[in-house]
Amino acid sequence: MGAGARVLIPSDALHAGVARVAAEVSAAYPEGVLFVAVLKGSVWFLADLVRALTVPCQVDFLAISSYAEGTGRVRIVKDLDADIAGRDVVLVEDVVDTGLTLTYVLGELARRDPRSLEVCALLDKVARRIVPAPVRFVAFEVGDEFVLGYGLDFGERYRNLDEVVAGDLEALRADPDAHVETLFGG
Ligand code: 5GP
């Protein structure tokens, strides 16, 4: 694969994992569920998740921006359209890493009095956790790797890969396009 990029979760395994999680969510919410997704990374996961769901659902979106990298201090730059009071809400995340972002977003949502609030993550980096984060539905646990693809980016690149790849962070910092040729055959 070259330039330090390697496939962690190939496309078929990825879609099987999403289907498994969709079955778990469907079983937990027979009356339906409101998904809240954080832009932009979780959109790819959300789109496949809802299409594999067997119960009714609605979707809404939040966008957040970090004040400073690694501090977990974020602010909402695009708020939800829906009033989530009294609703069964599932927050959809691309990857839970330190848990700091998730903790902030969960706090914001909890203040709005949903009937229930759970988290569904595509990827969980359990070993990287700084604050405990209650993730009820997880498609895959991954190690301490920098992951790309299926919504996950570096400098807005690589989101459209239909697989999850471990990237070489050092190479990417030197050149954000470092893996483009090997992953897209460019
Ligand atoms: P946390 O606050 O849990 O440390 O970080 C969560 C956010 O950091 C994710 O929603 C994602 O935007 C970003 N992030 C964490 N780990 C990775 C990774 O391995 N790859 C990419 N592309 N983004 C990551």
Side-chain angles (χ1 to χ4, degrees), residues 2-70:
R6 81 199 143 77
V7 176
L8 277 186
I9 310 170
S11 180
D12 52 352
L14 189 54
H15 291 282
V18 175
R20 178 180 45 76
V21 169
E24 289 173 20
V25 175
S26 299
Y29 300 93
E31 289 166 22
V33 60
L34 170 61
F35 290 112
V36 168
V38 181
L39 297 169
K40 304 173 189 168
S42 50
V43 167
W44 283 254
F45 174 39
L46 175 75
D48 285 338
L49 183 69
V50 297
R51 282 179 290 186
L53 213 70
T54 56
V55 297
C57 74
Q58 294 173 9
V59 301
D60 204 347
F61 298 94
L62 269 180
I64 58 176
S65 163
S66 302
Y67 282 108
E69 205 180 324

Side-chain angles (χ1 to χ4, degrees), residues 72 93-102 125 128 145-148 152-154:
E93 275 280 9
D94 47 6
V95 53
V96 182
D97 186 20
T98 62
L100 292 168
T101 310
L102 182 64
K125 293 192 198 173
R128 294 257 311 159
E145 314 245 24
F146 184 74
V147 286
L148 298 167
L152 290 149
D153 76 313
F154 185 90

Side-chain angles (χ1 to χ4, degrees), residues 46-124:
L46 175 75
D48 285 338
L49 183 69
V50 297
R51 282 179 290 186
L53 213 70
T54 56
V55 297
C57 74
Q58 294 173 9
V59 301
D60 204 347
F61 298 94
L62 269 180
I64 58 176
S65 163
S66 302
Y67 282 108
E69 205 180 324
T71 62
R73 291 188 59 224
V74 292
R75 68 196 160 93
I76 293 176
V77 294
K78 184 235 170 277
D79 209 337
L80 298 174
D81 295 327
D83 176 5
I84 65 169
R87 306 290 306 273
D88 289 312
V89 175
V90 171
L91 177 63
V92 178
E93 275 280 9
D94 47 6
V95 53
V96 182
D97 186 20
T98 62
L100 292 168
T101 310
L102 182 64
T103 301
Y104 172 81
V105 176
L106 278 177
E108 280 295 313
L109 297 179
R111 272 203 270 151
R112 303 176 188 195
D113 291 324
R115 182 162 80 163
S116 66
L117 179 58
E118 300 285 354
V119 179
C120 177
L122 174 68
L123 305 175
D124 191 355

Side-chain angles (χ1 to χ4, degrees), residues 17 30 32 51 82 87 92 96 103 134 136 138 141 144 151-152 160 166 174 179-180:
R51 282 179 290 186
R87 306 290 306 273
V92 178
V96 182
T103 301
R136 170 145 177 214
V138 179
E141 287 189 5
D144 185 4
L152 290 149
N160 60 320
H179 299 329
V180 166

